[in-house]
């Protein structure tokens, strides 16, 4: 029988882990311009972040942590493609900068 509660927990953990791994992969892509073996590097980063995230912050087994890593790799790619130009815009591409002066600090 399928353990729906465990599956939900793994998916929730994978979503949190994929956000972290997507941000890290994006920073690494900006830092290192070489795109060689980027899928393999992304897979390794997602697996490491997913396994360590679930192992540190939850009480699920190591085998389930492997599933978290795999799902976060799949989810990280999907999240990046969905929000590529919306969330992950670099600071250099931002044109309008608004400075707000605070009066309560004086």
């Amino acid at each position: 029988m399928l353990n729906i509660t465990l599956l939900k927990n793994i998916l929730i953990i994978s979503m949190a882990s994929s956000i972290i791994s997507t941000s890290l992969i994006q920073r690494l892509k900006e830092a290192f311009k070489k795109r060689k073996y980027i899928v393999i590097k992304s897979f390794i980063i997602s697996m490491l972040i997913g396994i360590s995230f679930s192992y540190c912050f939850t009480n699920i087994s190591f085998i389930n942590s492997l599933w978290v890593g795999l799902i976060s790799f799949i989810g990280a790619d999907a999240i990046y493609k969905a929000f590529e130009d919306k969330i992950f815009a670099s600071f250099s591409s931002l044109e309008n900068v608004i400075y707000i002066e605070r009066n309560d600090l004086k």
Side-chain angles (χ1 to χ4, degrees):
M1 191 56 141
L2 185 63
N3 189 347
I4 299 295
T5 306
L6 179 62
L7 183 60
K8 285 181 188 178
N9 289 337
I10 288 174
L11 289 174
I12 290 169
I13 297 165
S14 296
M15 286 189 310
S17 156
S18 68
I19 292 169
I20 296 168
S21 63
T22 301
S23 298
L24 181 62
I25 290 167
Q26 177 65 20
R27 297 291 180 238
L28 291 175
K29 282 181 182 178
E30 291 173 0
F32 304 108
K33 299 297 181 188
K34 288 188 175 182
R35 302 284 179 163
K36 191 174 184 179
Y37 305 115
I38 194 69
V39 175
I40 295 170
K41 293 175 186 176
S42 298
F43 178 73
I44 292 170
I45 290 170
S46 295
M47 289 298 288
L48 290 174
I49 296 288
I51 291 168
S52 60
F53 186 83
S54 63
Y55 191 71
C56 290
F57 298 113
T58 65
N59 58 355
I60 63 173
S61 68
F62 182 74
I63 300 297
N64 292 332
S65 295
L66 290 172
W67 280 106
V68 169
L70 180 65
I71 295 171
S72 73
F73 170 68
I74 297 166
D77 186 45
I79 289 172
Y80 179 76
K81 286 181 181 175
F83 296 112
E84 185 173 12
D85 294 328
K86 297 172 185 78
I87 294 177
F88 299 115
S90 63
F91 288 113
S92 62
S93 67
L94 298 176
E95 294 178 10
N96 298 329
V97 177
I98 300 172
Y99 294 100
I100 300 174
E101 185 177 328
R102 292 182 61 178
N103 294 329
D104 60 341
L105 296 176
K106 295 179 181 178

